[in-house]
Amino acid sequence: MVYPGPYEQGEFALSEHQLRSYRNKGFIQLRGLLHETEVADLLREAKNLVTASARERRPEAVFESDGREVRSVFRGHELNSVFDRLMRDGRMLDVARQILGSDVYIHQSRLNLKPGYAGKEFYWHSDFETWHVEDGMPRMRAVSCVVLLDENNEFNAPLMLVPGSHMHYIVCIGQTPQDHYKKSLRKQEFGVPDPTSLGFLMERGGVQSAKGPAGSVLFFDCNMMHGSNSNISPYPRSNLFFVYNSMENRLESPQHGLQPRPEFIAARGADLSLERVAPTPR
Amino acid sequence: MVYPGPYEQGEFALSEHQLRSYRNKGFIQLRGLLHETEVADLLREAKNLVTASARERRPEAVFESDGREVRSVFRGHELNSVFDRLMRDGRMLDVARQILGSDVYIHQSRLNLKPGYAGKEFYWHSDFETWHVEDGMPRMRAVSCVVLLDENNEFNAPLMLVPGSHMHYIVCIGQTPQDHYKKSLRKQEFGVPDPTSLGFLMERGGVQSAKGPAGSVLFFDCNMMHGSNSNISPYPRSNLFFVYNSMENRLESPQHGLQPRPEFIAARGADLSLERVAPTPR
């Protein structure tokens, strides 16, 4: 959703036309927002982060269900100063503040990997459904920002999105177990939407894929229905996610008496404010 | 491979240009070869075949490894007269005879399903490697013909092929167990090519996907390296495979003392000759 904040418009805010498109479809992709030399740096840092966090068996590193490959690394911005700077970069932050109409903070950040030959699928889901139930996020006032670190193309299973699906809240049937995240981050079994609801959304909106060159940035609503296929292609597909949440939408208690998930998955810290930085001139 | 047979050229044979392209790349796609009303008939028959063979728990019906969805139905042409007619149709048969330079027979036929929301991936493989080892097929003188019963698009995980890979025989390391097909048809674990060999092929040839409207027909060499991603899109992707083998390349004993696989997977019957039929006029 777009919130009509009194928030001052930043240098890199979306145009009226772009904002309208985001409001209707629930996402917008800015092709080539980052320079290719920046992306090369980020990709190198990402590889280092994966290697280091896997070697140290850090909880932030989530492995595929076969235990062999790293599927995601959470909270990379606290482990790496380059990612920390990027999430405060005006090109991302101005858009997030504009869409959410307020100051924002990082609810979650993660590096999602789909290595060539081995990347597994992410079944259809809305992030908000999980964040609402398991993290106690009150309203749909968060936006995911995805930085494409590799080209996302027809072969390496780009994100697929259902335009307009952010307007509908699909309840997933079934009880959420305690410590669900330890399994669900590896392979989704509970909380997947039923085919009838999915069909309803897709008949209305169809499906679009977020293909684009490395350095493109995708913003999508926290309630967007999205997923992606497996990746057996030779082309790795690494994407960096920053989830911005409104400071006016901070987490409450999880629902149904669930225990809060760890800080690296859902931030509740006392001081979460972000200091904006301008992009480094090139 | 293309065999310079003395075989008489049929009405629907490829042009010189097309044949040269097939020789170099190892595949050729003929868009819209079948009329859309034919495809609608075939798709209906395919659905009936799946339902009936699953209900009767026929061995020809192979389920996904989770046991819930049918992944493939083998030997459909013996269970259904429409498929039987189609595999003898001049539009397919003339091309197969031309490529193989001889009379041909059906080594294997199968219907591969990737239902929307549920289709699983097929990892990279060359069919010939299996047919050579497990079925005793002497030489690379067979061609797979794939009839697209649904549109194959960027979302529903079309076949991916490595142009030129048919020129290289990649040995898969590891011992093939007896009755391997009972598992391998559901999920490939043995006999997958190593990443180094795959990388070698892909650096040379890249990857192409066989997207196209329903009714398109793809011919590809038995030694083509190919695979496909999972399909969580809402769009089902049903493809019908006819594998034509040269009558001069009939099966011998499997290698390494393996037992022959069942007739519905690898035909050894006494009379396998095909009587050509002309397409029904429309």
Side-chain angles (χ1 to χ4, degrees):
Chain A
M1 312 296 162
V2 174
Y3 279 74
Y7 208 84
E8 193 187 348
Q9 186 147 317
E11 180 186 358
F12 296 102
L14 301 175
S15 70
E16 260 314 303
H17 173 73
Q18 288 174 321
L19 194 63
R20 198 177 317 119
S21 174
Y22 178 89
R23 185 182 286 116
N24 293 334
K25 292 170 70 175
F27 64 90
I28 190 162
Q29 189 171 23
L30 305 176
R31 285 173 73 93
L33 185 63
L34 304 192
H35 191 274
E36 58 189 33
T37 58
E38 286 182 277
V39 182
D41 288 350
L42 289 167
L43 195 55
R44 197 180 52 243
E45 295 296 332
K47 285 176 181 164
N48 292 341
L49 180 64
V50 168
T51 311
S53 58
R55 191 180 50 227
E56 298 165 17
R57 288 271 156 184
R58 296 190 68 97
E60 290 90 343
V62 175
F63 286 75
E64 296 281 8
S65 52
D66 63 9
R68 279 187 286 196
E69 300 268 356
V70 173
R71 178 178 174 93
S72 307
V73 181
F74 281 78
R75 212 72 188 155
H77 63 275
E78 286 192 351
L79 307 173
N80 183 297
S81 62
V82 176
F83 295 147
D84 175 73
R85 185 181 169 90
L86 184 66
M87 77 179 182
R88 295 184 288 115
D89 189 298
R91 290 169 293 181
M92 262 57 83
L93 203 55
D94 290 354
V95 177
R97 286 172 170 171
Q98 178 190 27
I99 287 173
L100 303 179
S102 70
D103 248 329
V104 301
Y105 72 97
I106 294 286
H107 165 63
Q108 180 183 95
S109 82
R110 63 185 188 277
L111 176 64
N112 274 1
L113 303 160
K114 284 210 177 190
Y117 307 123
K120 295 294 184 296
E121 72 190 33
F122 282 84
Y123 194 69
W124 295 103
H125 64 286
S126 145
D127 295 320
F128 180 73
E129 209 268 344
T130 303
W131 298 338
H132 187 55
V133 173
E134 299 190 28
D135 297 334
M137 183 182 283
R139 287 178 306 286
M140 299 176 188
R141 197 169 175 178
V143 57
S144 285
C145 165
V146 189
V147 181
L148 278 56
L149 300 185
D150 289 307
E151 182 190 38
N152 281 220
N153 57 37
E154 64 173 305
F155 304 111
N156 63 4
L159 222 62
M160 297 187 286
L161 310 130
V162 183
S165 61
H166 63 306
M167 307 284 199
H168 304 272
Y169 182 66
I170 305 292
V171 177
C172 296
I173 307 298
Q175 204 178 343
T176 308
Q178 292 285 2
D179 282 348
H180 179 222
Y181 74 92
K182 289 183 182 169
K183 285 189 71 178
S184 69
L185 300 179
R186 301 174 73 156
K187 188 167 193 295
Q188 193 70 19
E189 287 177 0
F190 299 90
V192 300
D194 65 284
T196 309
S197 303
L198 270 180
F200 167 85
L201 297 176
M202 288 164 174
E203 267 169 42
R204 279 176 161 64
V207 178
Q208 285 189 21
S209 65
K211 292 182 293 189
S216 302
V217 177
L218 169 75
F219 292 89
F220 70 91
D221 189 274
C222 59
N223 192 39
M224 169 63 45
M225 190 59 72
H226 65 289
S228 61
N229 287 323
S230 66
N231 177 25
I232 68 161
S233 89
Y235 312 118
R237 200 219 70 175
S238 308
N239 289 336
L240 185 60
F241 285 68
F242 296 128
V243 181
Y244 296 98
N245 190 23
S246 168
M247 286 296 271
E248 298 167 21
N249 194 37
R250 298 208 31 191
L251 303 186
E252 299 172 356
S253 297
Q255 299 194 348
H256 317 306
L258 292 167
Q259 291 300 311
R261 302 198 292 176
E263 189 75 16
F264 70 83
I265 297 179
R268 294 173 181 274
D271 181 18
L272 296 168
S273 62
L274 299 179
E275 191 186 345
R276 182 185 187 279
V277 291
T280 316
R282 287 177 184 274
Chain B
M1 313 294 163
V2 175
Y3 279 74
Y7 208 84
E8 191 187 348
Q9 186 146 315
E11 180 187 357
F12 297 101
L14 300 175
S15 70
E16 260 314 302
H17 173 75
Q18 288 174 321
L19 194 64
R20 198 177 318 119
S21 174
Y22 178 90
R23 185 183 287 116
N24 293 335
K25 293 170 70 175
F27 63 89
I28 190 163
Q29 189 171 21
L30 305 175
R31 285 173 73 92
L33 186 63
L34 303 192
H35 191 275
E36 58 188 36
T37 58
E38 287 182 277
V39 181
D41 288 351
L42 289 167
L43 194 55
R44 198 180 51 244
E45 294 296 333
K47 285 176 181 165
N48 292 342
L49 180 64
V50 168
T51 311
S53 58
R55 191 181 50 227
E56 296 164 18
R57 289 270 157 183
R58 295 190 69 98
E60 290 91 343
V62 175
F63 286 76
E64 296 281 8
S65 52
D66 63 9
R68 280 188 283 196
E69 302 267 356
V70 173
R71 179 178 172 92
S72 307
V73 181
F74 281 77
R75 213 73 190 154
H77 64 274
E78 285 192 349
L79 307 173
N80 182 298
S81 62
V82 176
F83 295 146
D84 174 74
R85 186 182 169 90
L86 184 66
M87 76 178 183
R88 295 183 288 115
D89 189 297
R91 291 169 293 180
M92 261 58 82
L93 203 55
D94 289 355
V95 177
R97 286 172 170 170
Q98 178 189 26
I99 287 172
L100 303 179
S102 70
D103 247 329
V104 301
Y105 72 97
I106 294 286
H107 164 62
Q108 180 183 96
S109 83
R110 64 186 188 276
L111 176 65
N112 273 1
L113 302 160
K114 284 210 178 191
Y117 307 123
K120 296 292 184 296
E121 71 189 35
F122 282 83
Y123 194 69
W124 295 104
H125 64 287
S126 145
D127 294 321
F128 179 73
E129 208 269 341
T130 303
W131 298 339
H132 187 56
V133 174
E134 299 190 29
D135 298 333
M137 183 182 283
R139 286 177 307 285
M140 299 178 189
R141 197 171 177 178
V143 57
S144 284
C145 165
V146 189
V147 181
L148 278 54
L149 299 185
D150 290 307
E151 182 191 37
N152 281 219
N153 57 38
E154 63 172 307
F155 303 110
N156 63 6
L159 222 63
M160 296 187 287
L161 310 129
V162 183
S165 60
H166 62 305
M167 307 285 197
H168 304 272
Y169 183 66
I170 304 293
V171 178
C172 297
I173 308 299
Q175 205 178 343
T176 307
Q178 291 286 1
D179 282 348
H180 178 222
Y181 73 93
K182 289 183 183 170
K183 285 188 72 178
S184 69
L185 301 178
R186 302 174 71 157
K187 189 169 193 297
Q188 193 70 20
E189 287 176 0
F190 299 90
V192 300
D194 66 282
T196 309
S197 303
L198 271 180
F200 167 85
L201 297 176
M202 286 166 177
E203 266 168 43
R204 278 176 160 64
V207 178
Q208 285 190 21
S209 64
K211 292 182 293 189
S216 301
V217 177
L218 169 75
F219 292 89
F220 69 91
D221 188 275
C222 59
N223 191 40
M224 169 63 46
M225 190 59 72
H226 65 290
S228 60
N229 287 323
S230 66
N231 177 24
I232 68 160
S233 90
Y235 313 116
R237 202 219 69 176
S238 307
N239 289 336
L240 185 61
F241 284 67
F242 295 128
V243 181
Y244 296 97
N245 190 24
S246 168
M247 286 296 271
E248 297 167 22
N249 194 37
R250 298 210 28 192
L251 303 186
E252 298 172 358
S253 296
Q255 298 195 349
H256 316 305
L258 292 167
Q259 292 301 309
R261 302 197 293 176
E263 189 75 16
F264 69 84
I265 297 179
R268 295 172 180 275
D271 181 17
L272 295 168
S273 62
L274 299 180
E275 191 186 343
R276 182 185 187 279
V277 291
T280 317
R282 288 180 182 270

